[in-house]
Amino acid sequence: MSQTVAAMKKDGLIESSPGTDARTRLVQLTDAALALVPFLEAEWRATEAAWAELEQEIPYALNQVVDDLNNALARRSFRDRLLGHLDPRFRS
């Protein structure tokens, strides 16, 4: 979270001030960030529509694909799978 806040602050998207104790900071969007909100909302709606369109074209839910891939990679990493197919001369 702190890295995201730092990056957004560097880009002029947020302002921060001390919180009620030394461990907290109040974070507020700048006018520049607020101006981006309509674009971000439109982009999110377009992303959801594209996702739904893709799901209409395939016989399974994309969320299920993601879950299945995560489970398979938890059992054996992509790196391990790749190394299993790579010529031993090129393994590091």
Side-chain angles (χ1 to χ4, degrees):
M1 182 68 88
S2 62
Q3 291 175 347
T4 300
V5 168
M8 290 179 74
K9 189 171 186 173
K10 179 180 173 219
D11 290 341
L13 298 175
I14 60 165
E15 297 169 338
S16 64
S17 57
T20 55
D21 62 52
R23 298 173 298 157
T24 61
R25 305 257 327 143
L26 299 175
V27 177
Q28 182 173 327
L29 295 176
T30 63
D31 289 341
L34 291 171
L36 290 174
V37 170
F39 167 75
L40 295 172
E41 289 174 336
E43 187 176 71
W44 186 257
R45 284 190 300 274
T47 300
E48 287 181 324
W51 187 272
E53 180 182 291
L54 279 171
E55 284 196 326
Q56 296 279 329
E57 294 180 30
I58 59 175
Y60 42 83
L62 289 171
N63 287 341
Q64 187 61 52
V65 173
V66 172
D67 290 343
D68 291 345
L69 284 170
N70 280 332
N71 290 333
L73 292 170
R75 288 189 300 274
R76 184 171 176 223
S77 73
F78 190 80
R79 180 182 186 278
D80 288 345
R81 294 166 190 270
L82 180 65
L83 290 175
H85 293 281
L86 188 63
D87 186 314
R89 295 174 295 159
F90 301 110
R91 293 183 194 168
S92 57

